[in-house]
């Protein structure tokens, strides 16, 4: 083994041919001195297993693109793997779009950074641009950080062939990611994701000009879409603004946290576009900070414990509503003050019930003809609440479910649009919402200002958000849900857990009961099995690469266990869907808790499998 650097690889060969080849490639190809030094140090220390972990596997597209820790190695996010990914993207896009050379690609980024590896989102975005520019592809590279939804919005607005957003959203500070959007503004899904991975593997050696970051400054094919896209996005928000005059008179005060991410400026602008004064920012969390210094976890979905600064500020300012966008501003958490120092933090499912009702209420105002409902849809991922299904059953519009991940919602929106149908609202339970049709992806910026308008309208009717949620449940039936997770860093353990569930009482048999209730149906999306279908086949697409099993119990509870596509978690979701008129909430909640606790203990066996329970 030889290379052009100072390290003599012949003296440090591991004896593993595959690993030695990977080490040689890394040392030869990587021009980032910090990540190169990381691999050299591991080699000198004889850390063979760590080298194997970093170098002998490659990232795969999950529910949110490529996502991993930053650092050296083909399995992590760094300069070299981003260059390789973009070279593969170029190869696939050039094959897929004859006019790629005129349409170009949009590139955006958040504010993540890691000093040890020299990786930061802006640099990774500039390298992404360099790869495309050196092949004479026009690049619309934002000149500063932007919310993730700006990239798919720009792809559609500018007619680009694709888009890339460098972000890891709400993941821990160590992580970063590479989210890819197709020409329709939706995140890529199968088969495009698999074909791009093939192209990445075929284009793994960096082209010499791929490292030329200065192309992002000097190439005449690079343009900055920031001003145009910001202006048009704020103008297009009018499509989901229904009561602007009322907004200008609203006495409500709002607090907003951007969770040390990109959201502050854009949420302020969105509020102005709706006629509101801008929300009160949480000063400690207003500006970007890649260390997320004031939160234990940069995920507003975790609830009151991570919203502490926002809630205390709201109490001091006498603000009624607290909003928090996650670091890349594509998701939204909301809390409402019920009385002095008491807060209702809405779950993603509860907020979806409110937003779904609001979008339907205003849509009906402008579509009085019942025939219009034939082409109107709402969507949700299959692990989310069934409340929109209840809306559709009573109101006469269409509802469809997708696999988990907004990439499947985006794909379904595109399919429905081809036949003249309109999706007015879509969501996933993990506080991801899409109001209207501006962006075929979740959008925390637009969702924040839509919530503000809804709250102001209800306040004018002497109603709170929480009171309106109760009204919704009384009309459409109570939907009580629980969402949580356990952490497992050992993939073989995860596989063993789900294999046991598929062979619970003998080969190819699933559990028959949970919490004293019979299981009447089982759907296993991983294997394509669904006991409720006449042919026993899933209606949803089979996903062999991830684990997901859903159990329907005799008492109406639906429970799903699945692996996360972005984190080392096994997530579990349970929901009690009661018919309209059944309103004994305490008994519903008690029954749901009993079933959920039993399901976790019996099916996941956390203590036996050394699973880490949720601590927040």
């Amino acid at each position: 083994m030889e290379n052009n650097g100072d390290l003599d690889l012949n003296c440090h060969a591991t004896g593993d041919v595959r690993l030695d080849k990977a080490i040689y490639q890394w040392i030869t190809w990587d021009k980032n001195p910090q990540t190169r030094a990381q691999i050299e140090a591991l080699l000198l220390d004889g850390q063979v297993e760590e080298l194997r972990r970093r170098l002998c596997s490659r990232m795969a597209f999950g529910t949110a693109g490529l996502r991993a820790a930053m650092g050296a190695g083909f399995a992590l996010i760094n300069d070299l793997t981003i260059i390789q990914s973009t070279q593969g993207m170029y190869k696939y896009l050039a094959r897929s779009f004859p006019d790629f050379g005129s349409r170009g690609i949009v590139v955006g980024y958040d504010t993540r950074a890691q000093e040890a590896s020299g990786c930061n989102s802006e640099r990774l975005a500039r390298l992404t641009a360099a790869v495309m520019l050196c092949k004479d592809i026009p690049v619309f590279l934002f000149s500063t950080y932007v919310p993730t939804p700006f990239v798919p919005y720009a792809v559609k607005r500018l007619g680009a062939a694709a888009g890339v957003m460098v972000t890891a959203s709400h993941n821990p500070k160590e992580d970063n990611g590479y989210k890819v959007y197709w020409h329709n503004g939706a995140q890529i899904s199968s088969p495009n994701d698999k074909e791009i991975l093939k192209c990445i593997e075929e284009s793994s050696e960096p082209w010499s000009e791929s490292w030329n970051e200065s192309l992002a400054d000097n190439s005449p094919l690079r343009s900055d879409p920031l001003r145009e896209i910001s202006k048009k996005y704020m103008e297009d928000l009018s499509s989901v603004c229904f009561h602007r005059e009322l907004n200008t008179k609203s006495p409500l005060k709002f607090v907003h946290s951007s969770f040390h991410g990109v959201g502050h400026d854009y949420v302020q602008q969105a509020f102005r576009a709706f006629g509101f004064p801008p929300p009160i920012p949480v000063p400690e969390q207003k500006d970007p900070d890649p260390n997320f210094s004031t939160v234990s976890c940069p995920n507003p979905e975790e609830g009151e414990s991570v919203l502490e600064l926002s809630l205390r500020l709201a109490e001091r300012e006498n603000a009624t509503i607290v909003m928090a966008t996650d670091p890349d501003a594509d998701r939204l958490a909301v809390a409402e003050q019920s009385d002095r120092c008491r807060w209702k933090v809405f779950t993603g499912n509860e907020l979806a019930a409110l937003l779904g009702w609001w979008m339907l209420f205003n849509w009906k105002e402008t579509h009085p003809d019942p025939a219009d409902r034939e082409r109107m849809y709402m969507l949700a991922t299959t692990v989310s609440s069934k409340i929109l299904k209840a809306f559709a059953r009573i109101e006469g519009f269409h509802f469809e479910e997708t696999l988990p991940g907004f990439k499947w919602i985006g794909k379904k929106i595109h399919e429905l649009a081809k036949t003249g149908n309109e999706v007015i609202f879509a969501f996933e339970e993990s506080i991801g919402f899409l109001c209207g049709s501006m962006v075929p992806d979740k959008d925390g910026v637009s969702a924040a200002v839509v919530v503000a308008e809804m709250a102001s309208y209800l306040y004018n009717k002497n109603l709170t958000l929480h009171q309106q949620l109760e009204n919704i449940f009384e009309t459409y039936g109570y939907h009580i849900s629980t969402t949580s997770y356990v952490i497992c860093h050992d993939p073989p353990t995860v596989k063993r857990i789900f294999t046991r569930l598929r062979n619970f009482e003998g080969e190819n048999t699933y559990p028959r009961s949970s919490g004293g209730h019979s299981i009447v149906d089982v759907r296993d999306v991983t294997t394509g099995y669904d006991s409720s279908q006449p042919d026993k086949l899933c209606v949803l697409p089979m996903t062999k690469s991830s684990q997901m099993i859903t159990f329907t119990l005799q008492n109406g509870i639906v429970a799903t266990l699945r692996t996360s596509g972005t984190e080392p978690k096994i997530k579990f979701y349970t929901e009690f869907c009661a018919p309209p008129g059944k309103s004994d909430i305490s008994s519903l909640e008690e029954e749901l808790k009993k079933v959920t606790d039993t399901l976790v203990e019996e099916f996941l066996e956390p203590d036996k499998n050394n699973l880490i329970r949720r601590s927040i």
Side-chain angles (χ1 to χ4, degrees):
M1 296 172 69
E2 297 178 3
N3 75 302
N4 298 323
D6 298 324
L7 187 69
D8 184 352
L9 295 180
N10 289 306
C11 295
H12 296 281
T14 67
D16 180 326
V17 174
R18 183 177 173 224
L19 178 56
D20 286 341
K21 180 182 178 182
I23 293 169
Y24 173 78
Q25 288 176 333
W26 188 271
I27 299 297
T28 305
W29 293 345
D30 186 16
K31 292 187 179 181
N32 178 325
Q34 288 164 273
T35 45
R36 181 187 164 110
Q38 287 180 8
I39 295 300
E40 290 176 343
L42 290 170
L43 187 58
L44 288 169
D45 288 346
Q47 300 286 329
V48 174
E49 281 308 310
E50 181 62 13
L51 285 165
R52 190 174 283 120
R53 184 186 72 82
R54 288 172 176 246
L55 294 169
C56 290
S57 62
R58 184 173 290 283
M59 295 174 289
F61 283 97
T63 55
L66 301 174
R67 199 173 286 184
M70 290 179 275
F74 296 120
L76 304 181
I77 294 283
N78 50 66
D79 292 1
L80 179 53
T81 54
I82 291 300
I83 285 172
Q84 291 176 320
S85 299
T86 308
Q87 290 181 173
M89 273 273 291
Y90 165 79
K91 188 172 182 178
Y92 185 64
L93 291 169
R95 181 195 304 165
S96 302
F97 297 97
D99 56 353
F100 184 33
S102 59
R103 295 179 70 168
I105 186 170
V106 175
V107 181
Y109 54 93
D110 68 8
T111 57
R112 286 177 175 261
Q114 185 185 72
E115 196 173 335
S117 61
C119 288
N120 64 70
S121 293
E122 182 178 4
R123 173 174 167 78
L124 297 177
R126 288 168 61 82
L127 288 170
T128 298
V131 171
M132 293 294 179
L133 291 167
C134 80
K135 292 297 183 181
D136 296 326
I137 301 300
V139 176
F140 302 96
L141 172 65
F142 284 98
S143 56
T144 189
Y145 54 82
V146 292
T148 288
F150 270 41
V151 170
Y153 178 82
V155 169
K156 289 186 70 180
R157 181 89 201 172
L158 300 170
V164 170
M165 178 69 186
V166 180
T167 180
S169 189
H170 58 279
N171 271 42
K173 66 181 181 180
E174 294 81 11
D175 292 358
N176 215 326
Y178 185 90
K179 187 177 280 192
V180 179
Y181 293 89
W182 204 232
H183 69 96
N184 56 16
Q187 292 180 47
I188 60 162
S189 57
S190 185
N192 293 324
D193 53 359
K194 293 180 178 60
E195 292 300 317
I196 290 172
L197 279 177
K198 283 184 191 174
C199 290
I200 292 171
E201 289 165 3
E202 293 167 5
S203 311
S204 57
E205 184 169 355
W207 308 322
S208 59
E209 282 296 283
S210 292
W211 288 96
N212 187 0
E213 191 185 338
S214 66
L215 285 174
D217 298 317
N218 304 328
S219 173
L221 291 173
R222 183 267 166 127
S223 59
D224 175 14
L226 180 65
R227 181 172 299 204
E228 177 187 353
I229 293 305
S230 293
K231 180 174 180 288
K232 294 298 183 184
Y233 176 93
M234 295 304 161
E235 289 174 358
D236 282 355
L237 278 176
S238 62
S239 65
V240 288
C241 180
F242 308 109
H243 304 276
R244 195 176 194 282
E245 187 176 341
L246 190 63
N247 299 343
T248 62
K249 303 170 185 173
S250 176
L252 290 185
K253 293 170 74 174
F254 302 90
V255 161
H256 170 244
S257 170
S258 54
F259 257 55
H260 298 296
V262 306
H264 171 72
D265 290 342
Y266 303 98
V267 170
Q268 297 264 312
Q269 291 176 48
F271 268 65
R272 291 190 187 99
F274 264 54
F276 288 110
I280 302 163
V282 178
E284 303 93 332
Q285 299 174 339
K286 175 175 71 73
D287 299 319
D289 172 10
N291 291 315
F292 306 113
S293 303
T294 68
V295 290
S296 57
C297 166
N299 184 358
E301 187 187 1
E302 295 291 351
E304 194 161 343
S305 61
V306 294
L307 297 174
E308 181 74 19
L309 286 173
S310 304
L311 302 180
R312 301 297 82 82
L313 175 64
E315 289 163 7
R316 292 195 300 274
E317 295 284 349
N318 198 27
T320 309
I321 305 288
V322 162
M323 300 176 178
T325 45
D326 69 339
D328 69 327
D330 67 347
R331 304 192 312 149
L332 176 73
V334 175
E336 179 180 61
Q337 191 164 192
S338 53
D339 53 48
R340 193 67 186 160
C341 299
R342 287 190 62 192
W343 290 90
K344 163 65 178 174
V345 180
F346 295 95
T347 66
N349 286 330
E350 289 172 335
L351 201 48
L354 284 162
L355 285 167
W357 163 79
W358 178 246
M359 294 303 294
L360 176 63
F361 171 75
N362 288 287
W363 186 88
K364 283 160 66 174
E365 291 287 304
T366 55
H367 297 80
D369 186 352
D372 288 342
R373 300 182 194 191
E374 280 300 311
R375 61 177 187 83
M376 194 271 271
Y377 281 74
M378 290 191 187
L379 307 175
T381 59
T382 190
V383 294
S384 301
S385 173
K386 313 303 178 192
I387 186 66
L388 299 186
K389 186 177 182 180
F391 286 6
R393 186 169 56 245
I394 291 172
E395 300 288 349
F397 64 87
H398 297 281
F399 168 74
E400 287 197 22
E401 285 187 337
T402 72
L403 288 171
F406 241 89
K407 67 181 184 180
W408 299 106
I409 286 178
K411 186 175 183 179
K412 178 58 70 174
I413 290 171
H414 184 60
E415 289 171 3
L416 290 169
K418 286 180 180 177
T419 52
N421 294 299
E422 178 187 15
V423 175
I424 68 165
F425 179 67
F427 86 102
E428 61 183 4
E429 52 72 37
S430 52
I431 60 173
F433 311 102
L434 166 58
C435 300
S437 55
M438 282 176 57
V439 183
D441 199 13
K442 56 184 179 284
D443 183 352
V445 177
S446 62
V449 74
V450 169
V451 167
E453 182 175 73
M454 173 173 55
S456 296
Y457 177 89
L458 290 170
Y459 180 88
N460 197 51
K461 303 288 185 184
N462 295 313
L463 287 168
T464 65
L465 291 174
H466 195 190
Q467 286 168 339
Q468 180 57 24
L469 180 64
E470 291 298 310
N471 293 339
I472 290 167
F473 285 156
E474 285 175 16
T475 302
Y476 299 101
Y478 277 85
H479 287 60
I480 314 296
S481 59
T482 299
T483 301
S484 194
Y485 58 81
V486 291
I487 296 171
C488 182
H489 294 284
D490 183 45
T493 297
V494 174
K495 186 175 181 180
R496 187 170 64 249
I497 288 169
F498 281 90
T499 299
R500 173 177 170 265
L501 291 175
R502 295 186 180 102
N503 301 276
F504 203 74
E505 297 176 11
E507 193 173 348
N508 297 323
T509 62
Y510 294 87
R512 295 177 185 174
S513 65
S514 179
H517 298 282
S518 296
I519 293 172
V520 294
D521 284 310
V522 177
R523 183 187 64 195
D524 189 339
V525 174
T526 308
T527 64
Y529 171 77
D530 188 341
S531 66
S532 70
Q533 298 298 315
D535 58 3
K536 307 301 181 189
L537 297 176
C538 272
V539 175
L540 292 173
M542 184 166 63
T543 55
K544 293 181 181 178
S545 60
S546 62
Q547 304 281 358
M548 187 168 81
I549 304 177
T550 299
F551 304 96
T552 301
L553 278 65
Q554 196 168 31
N555 63 349
I557 290 177
V558 178
T560 297
L561 303 173
R562 66 175 279 259
T563 48
S564 169
T566 58
E567 299 165 283
K569 294 176 178 177
I570 301 175
K571 294 186 172 185
F572 52 91
Y573 314 79
T574 53
E575 183 174 36
F576 208 138
C577 305
K582 187 174 181 180
S583 56
D584 184 0
I585 307 304
S586 58
S587 68
L588 293 177
E589 290 177 338
E590 185 180 331
E591 188 65 27
L592 184 67
K593 184 180 187 308
K594 178 184 172 186
V595 169
T596 303
D597 291 347
T598 304
L599 180 135
V600 170
E601 294 302 323
E602 290 183 353
F603 292 0
L604 298 182
E605 300 181 304
D607 295 335
K608 178 181 175 182
N609 290 308
N610 297 315
L611 306 179
I612 303 168
R613 298 174 192 264
R614 182 178 182 176
S615 58
I616 295 180

